[in-house]
Amino acid sequence: MLDRLKIMDERYEEINKLLSDPEIVCDVKKLTELSKEQRSLEKPVMLYREQMKLENSIPDLKEMKNSSDAEMAEMATLELEETTSRIAEIEEEVKILLLPKDPNDDKDVIVEIRGAAGGDEANIFAGDLFRMYSKYAESRGWKIEVLDAMPSEMGGYSQIQFKVSGEMVYSYLKYESGAHRVQRVPATEAQGRIHTSTSTVLVMPEAADIDFELDMAEIRVDTFCSSGPGGQGVNTTYSAVRVTHIPSGMYVACQIHRSQHENKATALALLKTRMYDQMMQEKEEKDGATRQSLIGRGDRSEKIRTYNYPQNRVTDHRIGFTINRLDAVIDGKLDLVIEQLINEDQKRKLSSGESIKL
């Protein structure tokens, strides 16, 4: 492990020099790649340097420990114990940091939530999930931008798409893809019966220009009148935009902005992200990786998590984790669940090389 860290340290210094090279500074793509690599190396390298400094201090501390000066010997003994303990902590931290990284972990994400099985109640729950993610993002200092939304007449959304940007967003939210099941008494239920409904969540890492570029010659752009809430521009101007990737037939529509130009830019960003997500899935299948269907069919049996309101309970079925703090989780304290998923994922990787199948 130390040999690997030494190589990383050398590479970190090499990158520092490259980032001051005028040719690199003028090459945006190369500059972005090197800066990203530098960030990924920084924490393990800093821990490695701290460990080396501590280990180099041990011989002197051992010598001081045997000093005839009782006070100095006692101080050296305590410091030696602290140093040894800290080195052990660093080794454990580094083990986690050296686990195989998801190359998308530091990306922003585009999230799509859909009401699925359960009609109006599923759409209302989709709205609750959006609020949960909004509050969670706020607690982490992330920014949310709604890209497209189809509000439901009874409340919530039949579909909503939004971007979450900030530090290491995908590394946390990637665990949210799948079917989320809610068990509660709907406001419209006269006899107080508990209903079960499902909303689906899809989390996609946002595609950057360095990932791949759209060939605009393969893109068809159609405009149409906006529909639904939106003020005077609705159904009077062709501000809504649909972009279609002709070879694959994949398309995205956007009408949330008043400007056709803004809707087109948003639709293209969504299309690029969808295509990038598809490319990742195809690569994983080619490499023999196992990946569950993220969006699924909205079927109750394809659930990753259940939110039971009568019992104030949240259960994540992938790791068998249950917590009776639904009120806190749905209010945005999602780390109560996500930290358990991250810990279990890391534990499985350390023990057997396996990770949670998402």
Side-chain angles (χ1 to χ4, degrees):
M1 187 169 71
L2 289 177
D3 289 340
R4 183 177 171 189
L5 287 166
K6 184 179 179 182
I7 292 170
M8 293 170 74
D9 189 10
E10 292 169 352
R11 175 58 179 166
Y12 183 79
E13 283 303 311
E14 181 184 5
I15 292 173
N16 282 339
K17 293 176 183 177
L18 287 170
L19 289 175
S20 62
D21 187 326
E23 289 187 12
I24 298 294
V25 173
C26 295
D27 186 338
V28 176
K29 183 176 180 180
K30 189 67 177 176
L31 184 67
T32 303
E33 290 174 348
L34 286 172
S35 297
K36 180 179 178 180
E37 185 181 357
Q38 183 191 48
R39 288 195 301 272
S40 71
L41 292 171
E42 187 169 11
K43 193 166 184 180
V45 166
M46 292 303 110
L47 285 171
Y48 167 70
R49 291 179 180 180
E50 182 185 353
Q51 182 176 350
M52 290 299 96
K53 185 177 179 180
L54 290 171
E55 289 190 352
N56 289 335
S57 71
I58 288 177
D60 289 340
L61 290 173
K62 286 183 175 178
E63 186 176 339
M64 291 169 62
K65 181 182 175 183
N66 297 322
S67 171
S68 57
D69 186 326
E71 186 176 348
M72 181 179 290
E74 184 180 356
M75 288 176 59
T77 299
L78 290 172
E79 191 171 342
L80 184 60
E81 289 175 357
E82 291 174 0
T83 298
T84 304
S85 176
R86 177 56 185 154
I87 288 174
E89 289 176 3
I90 290 173
E91 289 175 346
E92 290 304 310
E93 288 182 57
V94 168
K95 281 181 185 178
I96 299 297
L97 291 172
L98 294 184
L99 287 171
K101 290 287 190 302
D102 186 326
N104 294 307
D105 272 353
D106 62 349
K107 290 184 182 291
D108 296 338
V109 303
I110 290 176
V111 183
E112 178 182 278
I113 305 176
R114 291 176 179 265
D120 290 334
E121 176 63 12
N123 294 340
I124 293 170
F125 182 52
D128 293 337
L129 290 175
F130 172 63
R131 177 179 174 274
M132 177 182 75
Y133 293 127
S134 297
K135 283 185 165 288
Y136 179 58
E138 182 182 356
S139 72
R140 300 200 69 90
W142 298 339
K143 179 184 175 184
I144 278 192
E145 176 189 359
V146 175
L147 302 176
D148 200 21
M150 296 177 63
S152 171
E153 291 183 4
M154 297 298 292
Y157 301 92
S158 59
Q159 177 184 337
I160 183 168
Q161 294 177 333
F162 55 96
K163 176 181 175 180
V164 188
S165 53
E167 186 177 355
M168 302 295 289
V169 177
Y170 186 72
S171 68
Y172 291 90
L173 290 185
K174 64 184 177 182
Y175 298 98
E176 295 306 294
S177 287
H180 295 239
R181 185 175 72 169
V182 62
Q183 295 173 325
R184 64 184 175 190
V185 179
T188 55
E189 172 55 55
Q191 298 181 23
R193 292 174 298 185
I194 296 174
H195 286 222
T196 298
S197 306
T198 306
S199 294
T200 55
V201 177
L202 175 62
V203 178
M204 299 174 287
E206 185 181 34
D209 289 338
I210 62 172
D211 296 318
F212 81 104
E213 293 184 14
L214 284 177
D215 183 353
M216 291 306 295
E218 297 179 342
I219 302 298
R220 185 178 71 245
V221 180
D222 300 305
T223 59
F224 56 98
C225 290
S226 299
S227 60
Q232 297 178 349
V234 175
N235 292 326
T236 60
T237 60
Y238 285 81
S239 59
V241 174
R242 181 188 299 106
V243 292
T244 304
H245 182 244
I246 298 170
S248 66
M250 186 180 293
Y251 70 90
V252 170
C254 182
Q255 61 177 11
I256 198 164
H257 306 292
R258 292 181 179 274
S259 160
Q260 183 185 116
H261 176 75
E262 289 180 301
N263 281 327
K264 179 181 176 182
T266 298
L268 286 171
L270 286 168
L271 179 63
K272 181 185 285 191
T273 294
R274 284 191 175 279
M275 292 179 67
Y276 179 56
D277 185 65
Q278 186 179 62
M279 284 170 53
M280 289 194 303
Q281 292 184 55
E282 290 173 353
K283 182 179 184 301
E284 288 172 358
E285 289 172 5
K286 185 178 180 180
D287 293 344
T290 303
R291 172 173 171 149
Q292 280 186 336
S293 171
L294 297 182
I295 198 71
R297 296 185 301 277
D299 189 275
R300 292 187 179 93
S301 65
E302 297 177 320
K303 61 185 181 295
I304 65 165
R305 192 176 297 151
T306 294
Y307 305 73
N308 185 294
Y309 276 75
Q311 298 177 20
N312 195 36
R313 169 172 53 83
V314 177
T315 299
D316 195 289
H317 304 284
R318 292 165 294 181
I319 60 173
F321 173 73
T322 294
I323 184 171
N324 291 98
R325 294 192 62 188
L326 182 148
D327 52 345
V329 171
I330 209 71
D331 198 42
K333 295 179 176 60
L334 196 52
D335 274 331
L336 291 169
V337 179
I338 289 180
E339 285 182 359
Q340 296 294 324
L341 286 159
I342 292 173
N343 291 340
E344 180 64 21
D345 198 12
Q346 290 174 344
K347 186 165 68 175
R348 293 186 189 183
K349 286 176 181 175
L350 284 169
S351 63
S352 62
E354 294 182 1
S355 59
I356 299 171
K357 299 300 185 290
L358 300 172

